[in-house]
Amino acid sequence: MLDVILNDEKYNRCIEDIGELLQKTVRGFQMFEKEQIRIHGFTHSQCYILLEILKHGSLTINEISVKMKLEASTITRIMDNLVRDHLLMRQRSTFDKRIVEAILTEQGHAAAIRLEASIKMYYRNVIKNLPRGHVREIMSAVEALLGALEKAKIE
């Protein structure tokens, strides 16, 4: 009986510990966003859209919506601001004229390159501050955590 109580206490403590670590992680990413993205004048969503289009050349609203796990209407509003600010253009797909793709303007491309460089520098500094020889181990643990977070949403 004492064994069961001790196991329950350990399990409950583990729940508290993981919750606290996740909250600290979220706060860390909020600081990352403030320091590495907002200084360029973008929201996290705008940054992600610019970087994804930089990576792929062009994307449809639906493709961005799936990648960001946001409604297409939300993506449209974000993209409207990027178009207004001359960072994105909308163009008809060469394969299917019914599909509209977003592409970076020259100004948008330059902004995305600056964002990408700033973010890479930040991640380089993160890696530099990890215990030597443990980068792969930490990456594996983060991947496992992300998988658990995805599964927890479903259950």
Side-chain angles (χ1 to χ4, degrees), residues 4 8 21 23 26 30 32 34 36 45 48 57 59 62 68-69 74 90 94 102 109 111 117 120 123 138 142 144 149:
V4 172
D8 282 348
L21 284 171
Q23 288 172 1
V26 168
Q30 288 170 337
F32 154 75
K34 182 179 177 186
Q36 302 302 316
S45 296
Y48 188 85
L59 290 171
N62 287 339
M68 292 184 67
K69 297 179 174 123
T74 302
R90 291 184 172 103
T94 54
H109 187 267
K120 280 183 179 178
Y123 289 146
I138 291 168
V142 170
L149 290 169

Side-chain angles (χ1 to χ4, degrees), residues 90-106:
R90 291 184 172 103
Q91 71 178 18
R92 297 267 173 209
S93 168
T94 54
F95 301 109
D96 186 342
K97 297 295 181 199
R98 297 171 295 173
I99 297 173
V100 176
E101 297 174 323
I103 61 168
L104 296 172
T105 63
E106 205 171 298

Side-chain angles (χ1 to χ4, degrees), residues 1-151:
M1 180 70 173
L2 183 59
D3 226 13
V4 172
I5 292 171
L6 290 176
N7 284 339
D8 282 348
E9 287 176 14
K10 285 181 184 178
Y11 185 72
N12 288 335
R13 184 64 200 154
C14 188
I15 290 170
E16 290 174 22
D17 290 347
I18 196 78
E20 195 173 307
L21 284 171
L22 286 173
Q23 288 172 1
K24 285 180 181 179
T25 302
V26 168
R27 281 194 293 275
F29 277 107
Q30 288 170 337
M31 291 307 298
F32 154 75
E33 190 172 305
K34 182 179 177 186
E35 295 169 359
Q36 302 302 316
I37 295 172
R38 289 197 180 132
I39 60 169
H40 294 279
F42 298 107
T43 66
H44 177 76
S45 296
Q46 289 172 328
C47 173
Y48 188 85
I49 288 171
L50 291 172
L51 293 178
E52 283 298 311
I53 294 172
L54 178 66
K55 187 186 328 180
H56 297 284
S58 70
L59 290 171
T60 66
I61 290 172
N62 287 339
E63 289 169 332
I64 296 169
S65 175
V66 168
K67 287 178 180 297
M68 292 184 67
K69 297 179 174 123
L70 292 172
E71 295 294 323
S73 60
T74 302
I75 298 301
T76 299
R77 279 194 307 278
I78 297 166
M79 285 179 56
D80 285 346
N81 291 333
L82 293 170
V83 168
R84 178 201 65 208
D85 295 339
H86 308 290
L87 299 166
L88 285 185
M89 289 188 325
R90 291 184 172 103
Q91 71 178 18
R92 297 267 173 209
S93 168
T94 54
F95 301 109
D96 186 342
K97 297 295 181 199
R98 297 171 295 173
I99 297 173
V100 176
E101 297 174 323
I103 61 168
L104 296 172
T105 63
E106 205 171 298
Q107 185 179 344
H109 187 267
I113 294 291
R114 284 191 306 275
L115 278 166
E116 184 180 54
S118 179
I119 290 166
K120 280 183 179 178
M121 180 62 71
Y122 177 80
Y123 289 146
R124 190 172 286 118
N125 287 335
V126 169
I127 290 172
K128 185 174 69 178
N129 288 296
L130 291 174
R132 195 175 192 101
H134 291 276
V135 174
R136 292 270 176 228
E137 181 183 332
I138 291 168
M139 286 175 60
S140 182
V142 170
E143 287 174 349
L145 177 60
L146 288 172
L149 290 169
E150 277 298 311
K151 288 177 184 174

